[in-house]
Amino acid sequence: MGLTADMGRFVASLRYDMLPPEAVKTVRLGFTDCIACMVTGWNEKVTRTAARGLGIVHDGANTPISALQAPAPERALVYGVASHAIDYDDTGLAGHPSAILVPTILSEAAETGADGRAMITAYVAGYEIWAEMTRRDAHQLHRKGWHPTAMLGTIAAAAAAASLRGHDAAMATRTIGIAASLAGGIVGNFGSMTKPYQVGRAAQSGLLAARLAEAGLTATDTAIEDDLGFLRAVSPKGEVDTTTPAKFGEDWGILRAGINIKLYPVCYAVHRAIDAVIDMRKVNPVKPEDVEAIDLEIGETQAEILRVHRPTNGLDAKISGEFAMASAIVAGACGNAQLTDAFVNRPEVQDLIRKVRIVTMPERDDHEPAHSPFDRVTLHLRGGKTLTTEAVKRPRGHFQRGVETEAMWAKFEDCVKPALGERGTRTLFETIQGLDRMASIDGFGLFPAGKAKASAA
């Protein structure tokens, strides 16, 4: 049997009691982070626009998320857009796993009545399928213009949906095969509303694939590994391993790669450099007017992703290494307070943006192949003095460094409190920590239970 069929068998056979305890902790962290980002992104223009485009009522005056009534696939799309709306959601596998998997699972669970353990199992099923595809191509999809989250996430979402809907091996294989033809998303749309839309669309497509399979739509059982299949079609160089047997349930991708919590709401490709400058600034305070040039040393793929070089608004600034450096120097931070049009266009910020020079490294990090082994920044100051930061290998919040409970709570509170208030925020946070004990999605208190109904706009 081939890889697609192996994926289907794994998804169909996976049970909660098979999961490593550390995997459950990672899933809980992913739900915590994603729901926080979803709440804060709920009233963003891109979320309201996506809902309106689907003919779904999105009343921003109502409680975040609970007001949305729509069929599960469309609900997953809007949830996914909200999760990625401000680019603050967790990362891993060269993409954003939770922004795909959590919206998929929440939307499906509202229809299937799944409990918390089933939701956790579905997350791991999707994650492992994503991880398996990632490890089979040494080259980065970004380099060919593909958005990995949208491309690989579509198939991962299908796996999660198949898990929640109780597919047998044959049905799960068919669902994955259908999803392979639904994937889409390009780097060329980074910096626009279409970037978070691509994430939501992947979640929607995964749910659609499961329903199409149940309706009788066929797909080949080699759609992933075929010579003219998914992996070779999207590979930058076509150098894909399609023959090595999968080790599902033995070599757990979620233990190997985990998820990384973003502590800055900007592209993850520049987080290490932000850490470096903020840390240096604490020891060597620098006045913006004293900086003559800034050398930002990053990897080649990172430089391609950070494609906006002269941002003039908060949305563009999220995909700009130049802005990140300017923000870190001017404010000693790079958060929501800085990602406003007013801050981006401050004279001292724009002046520093123009002084940033991108210096790329061809070497790749073993754990994060889309990144260089480290990031480093050098400030050239008036009078010939230079300041060079430490070479940062892992940003704060990275899987290998971990994220402190206090830091996770601070991010969650910052995202959720404006919408739910202090008490509601604390209740939701504590509820998610007990995800494995949740009887149904009703436990969240945010999401509508039962079979959803479409609403006319």
Side-chain angles (χ1 to χ4, degrees):
M1 299 294 284
L3 179 59
T4 311
D6 283 346
M7 289 177 168
R9 283 197 300 274
F10 169 71
V11 170
S13 64
L14 188 64
R15 299 291 182 268
Y16 180 82
D17 58 11
M18 298 165 59
L19 305 179
E22 287 302 316
V24 175
K25 291 181 182 178
T26 298
V27 175
R28 187 184 300 121
L29 184 63
F31 267 80
T32 302
D33 188 74
C34 187
I35 289 175
C37 293
M38 193 186 305
V39 171
T40 201
W42 187 242
N43 282 316
E44 289 292 311
K45 184 177 180 180
V46 62
T47 309
R48 291 184 279 108
T49 299
R52 185 168 62 250
L54 291 171
I56 296 170
V57 172
H58 179 301
D59 186 352
N62 292 317
T63 303
I65 302 171
S66 65
L68 181 63
Q69 294 290 324
E74 284 68 36
R75 190 189 303 175
L77 186 150
V78 181
Y79 286 176
V81 171
S83 298
H84 198 57
I86 64 169
D87 211 344
Y88 206 5
D89 47 303
D90 64 47
T91 73
L93 303 175
H96 297 266
S98 296
I100 296 287
L101 295 172
V102 174
T104 297
I105 292 164
L106 293 175
S107 301
E108 195 67 270
E111 291 199 354
T112 63
D115 63 16
R117 292 191 171 193
M119 287 187 259
I120 292 170
T121 304
Y123 185 108
V124 176
Y127 188 103
E128 293 302 307
I129 296 304
W130 191 330
E132 184 65 24
M133 290 186 290
T134 299
R135 80 171 186 85
R136 290 176 178 271
D137 193 341
H139 303 284
Q140 300 303 303
L141 299 191
H142 291 104
R143 303 300 297 273
K144 196 175 182 179
W146 295 122
H147 183 186
T149 303
M151 301 300 293
L152 304 180
T154 297
I155 299 168
S163 174
L164 284 172
R165 296 180 73 84
H167 286 185
D168 62 19
M171 184 76 75
T173 299
R174 192 154 67 246
T175 293
I176 289 168
I178 294 169
S181 287
L182 300 181
I186 58 172
V187 174
N189 267 320
F190 281 20
S192 75
M193 287 186 184
T194 299
K195 182 174 187 276
Y197 174 79
Q198 291 173 169
V199 174
R201 183 75 169 111
Q204 178 195 42
S205 294
L207 269 63
L208 287 174
R211 285 155 175 74
L212 289 168
E214 291 171 10
L217 194 73
T218 63
T220 70
D221 60 4
T222 58
I224 301 299
E225 74 274 16
D226 193 276
D227 285 346
L228 297 177
F230 178 81
L231 288 178
R232 291 195 188 282
V234 302
S235 175
K237 296 188 177 182
E239 298 171 357
V240 182
D241 174 9
T242 59
T243 59
T244 301
K247 296 182 179 179
F248 291 122
E250 300 175 30
D251 178 18
W252 294 93
I254 199 166
L255 300 184
R256 191 171 7 94
I259 59 173
N260 311 309
I261 301 301
K262 294 177 72 172
L263 300 181
Y264 309 111
V266 297
C267 181
Y268 197 60
V270 76
H271 278 221
R272 295 185 299 184
I274 296 172
D275 280 348
V277 173
I278 290 175
D279 287 347
M280 182 182 69
R281 187 177 178 272
K282 292 176 182 177
V283 179
N284 298 287
V286 175
K287 295 180 180 180
E289 60 268 25
D290 290 337
V291 178
E292 292 189 340
I294 304 165
D295 290 334
L296 171 58
E297 295 180 74
I298 56 178
E300 292 175 340
T301 302
Q302 291 166 263
E304 291 182 356
I305 296 170
L306 297 166
R307 59 196 307 272
V308 179
H309 302 294
R310 296 292 180 268
T312 57
N313 59 68
L315 184 61
D316 282 349
K318 290 178 175 290
I319 315 294
S320 174
E322 290 87 350
F323 169 78
M325 296 298 91
S327 180
I329 293 169
V330 171
C334 191
N336 288 324
Q338 289 72 47
L339 286 157
T340 63
D341 294 356
F343 182 86
V344 173
N345 288 296
R346 282 172 53 171
E348 65 272 33
V349 173
Q350 285 293 320
D351 181 58
L352 285 174
I353 285 174
R354 289 188 289 270
K355 294 177 178 179
V356 177
R357 303 179 297 209
I358 306 294
V359 181
T360 61
M361 292 177 267
E363 297 83 7
R364 297 187 301 174
D365 182 76
D366 290 337
H367 183 76
E368 301 275 359
H371 293 186
S372 53
F374 62 86
D375 290 350
R376 184 168 52 200
V377 180
T378 298
L379 305 185
H380 300 270
L381 308 178
R382 289 179 182 176
K385 183 179 179 181
T386 62
L387 292 174
T388 299
T389 70
E390 295 290 332
V392 180
K393 297 181 179 180
R394 300 284 181 260
R396 296 183 182 91
H398 187 277
F399 174 65
Q400 292 181 342
R401 291 182 61 173
V403 59
E404 299 84 359
T405 302
E406 294 78 9
M408 187 66 254
W409 163 248
K411 176 179 177 178
F412 191 90
E413 183 179 37
D414 182 52
C415 289
V416 178
K417 188 175 178 180
L420 299 186
E422 185 172 349
R423 182 176 179 180
T425 300
R426 176 58 73 176
T427 298
L428 180 58
F429 183 83
E430 292 176 352
T431 297
I432 299 170
Q433 308 320 300
L435 180 62
D436 58 320
R437 301 185 298 275
M438 194 176 293
S440 75
I441 202 169
D442 287 345
F444 285 107
L446 283 176
F447 306 93
K451 203 163 185 71
K453 298 178 181 179
S455 269

